[in-house]
């Protein structure tokens, strides 16, 4: 059975701090790893990673995949209160493209 | 963009009612859509994979007769919760994937909060 584990489960920081969120996985026939941000409604797509060692970047957010270690990290620099959300890691491991989600990391950024 | 619209956003109804939730991809064709359920402070649990023109594939433990899925076109999938009971109360979210390839991200609708009294 495919498994995705995220850590930490929750994190409280102050504005301006840098955070690193972790995601590890055990998946048959790995195809992709995705990061989503969920605020009050449904998740919004952040990154999709398929190749090891290549960093994806968007503004203050960046992510990298390590296929050897079966893991990924999501970095957020200079955090803002608007970054407060649940960050979900998901892995696609079958030809049907279904995703297995981790438990999520609840990030709270205080002013 | 990749916009997915889900309707309604919330439903409150009596026990025994059937509730239909629609999921539409607005600016792309989606041969595959997914239906998830999310409990408070928990992650998304996949219920079923919906393929246009064919029967949905349900995850283990999900009752097919309880959660009816129809994917009649490349832009619309529906989930009907039949004879809903309080234990069916949850946040239901659909997602759609652009194109045929599996190396495409899923894009999510805004979810439907279902409350059964």
């Amino acid at each position: 059975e495919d498994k995705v584990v995220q850590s930490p489960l929750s994190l409280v920081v102050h504005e301006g701090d840098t955070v690193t969120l972790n995601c590890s996985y055990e998946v048959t026939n790995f195809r992709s790893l995705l990061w989503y941000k969920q605020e009050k409604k449904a998740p919004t797509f952040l990154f999709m990673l398929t190749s090891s060692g290549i960093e994806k970047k968007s503004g203050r957010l960046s992510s990298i995949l390590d296929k050897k270690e079966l893991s990924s990290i999501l970095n957020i620099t200079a955090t803002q209160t608007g970054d407060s959300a649940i960050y979900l890691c998901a892995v696609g491991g079958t030809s049907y493209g279904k995703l297995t989600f981790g438990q999520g990391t609840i990030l709270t950024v205080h002013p | 963009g990749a916009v997915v619209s889900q309707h309604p956003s919330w439903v409150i109804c009596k026990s025994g009612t059937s509730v239909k939730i629609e999921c539409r991809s607005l600016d792309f064709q989606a041969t595959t859509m997914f239906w998830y359920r999310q409990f408070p402070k928990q992650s998304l649990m996949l219920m079923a994979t919906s393929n246009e023109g064919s029967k949905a594939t349900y995850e283990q433990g999900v009752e097919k007769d309880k959660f009816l899925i129809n994917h009649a076109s490349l832009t619309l999938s529906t989930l009907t919760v039949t004879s809903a009971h309080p234990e069916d109360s949850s946040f239901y979210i659909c997602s759609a994937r652009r194109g045929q390839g599996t190396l495409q991200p899923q894009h999510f609708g805004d979810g439907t909060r279902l409350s059964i009294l």
Side-chain angles (χ1 to χ4, degrees):
Chain A
E1 187 178 331
D2 296 345
K3 190 177 177 183
V4 178
V5 177
Q6 291 183 244
S7 64
L9 293 181
S10 65
L11 191 55
V12 180
V13 300
H14 289 281
E15 272 192 320
D17 288 350
T18 293
V19 298
T20 298
L21 310 183
N22 301 285
C23 176
S24 62
Y25 60 89
E26 293 175 23
V27 174
T28 305
N29 298 323
F30 172 88
R31 287 180 168 261
S32 59
L33 185 145
L34 297 89
W35 284 97
Y36 288 88
K37 177 183 181 183
Q38 184 176 23
E39 296 174 89
K40 291 183 180 177
K41 294 186 176 180
T44 53
F45 171 70
L46 295 175
F47 299 113
M48 182 175 190
L49 304 155
T50 56
S51 300
S52 198
I54 297 175
E55 185 183 49
K56 292 256 177 131
K57 198 170 171 66
S58 176
R60 297 177 293 104
L61 278 68
S62 63
S63 182
I64 195 162
L65 174 68
D66 187 337
K67 281 187 176 179
K68 190 176 177 183
E69 296 296 325
L70 305 182
S71 66
S72 173
I73 59 171
L74 174 69
N75 279 321
I76 308 175
T77 59
T79 52
Q80 301 170 358
T81 54
D83 295 326
S84 296
I86 301 173
Y87 289 85
L88 295 166
C89 172
V91 177
T94 73
S95 60
Y96 296 104
K98 76 176 191 181
L99 297 176
T100 300
F101 280 83
Q103 326 93 297
T105 294
I106 302 172
L107 174 65
T108 305
V109 182
H110 287 309
Chain B
V3 180
V4 177
S5 172
Q6 190 171 338
H7 179 80
S9 55
W10 57 272
V11 180
I12 301 174
C13 58
K14 293 180 180 179
S15 186
T17 307
S18 290
V19 179
K20 181 188 273 190
I21 303 170
E22 292 187 349
C23 181
R24 293 179 186 274
S25 55
L26 296 186
D27 54 355
F28 66 99
Q29 293 185 332
T31 50
T32 306
M33 292 185 174
F34 303 86
W35 287 95
Y36 295 85
R37 186 172 179 175
Q38 187 177 35
F39 292 102
K41 297 191 178 179
Q42 293 190 26
S43 192
L44 279 71
M45 290 185 58
L46 180 65
M47 297 174 66
T49 303
S50 169
N51 296 295
E52 187 265 335
S54 64
K55 290 184 180 179
T57 303
Y58 289 81
E59 295 299 298
Q60 194 172 8
V62 178
E63 297 177 59
K64 299 178 185 181
D65 296 332
K66 176 76 174 177
F67 299 100
L68 299 178
I69 290 173
N70 184 278
H71 194 156
S73 78
L74 286 172
T75 59
L76 173 64
S77 175
T78 61
L79 168 69
T80 301
V81 184
T82 61
S83 187
H85 292 285
E87 58 267 27
D88 298 322
S89 298
S90 190
F91 190 50
Y92 292 87
I93 313 174
C94 73
S95 71
R97 190 180 65 218
R98 187 201 299 264
Q100 301 262 0
T102 55
L103 290 181
Q104 293 282 343
Q106 290 179 27
H107 296 277
F108 288 84
D110 279 342
T112 297
R113 197 161 298 281
L114 177 62
S115 295
I116 309 298
L117 304 177

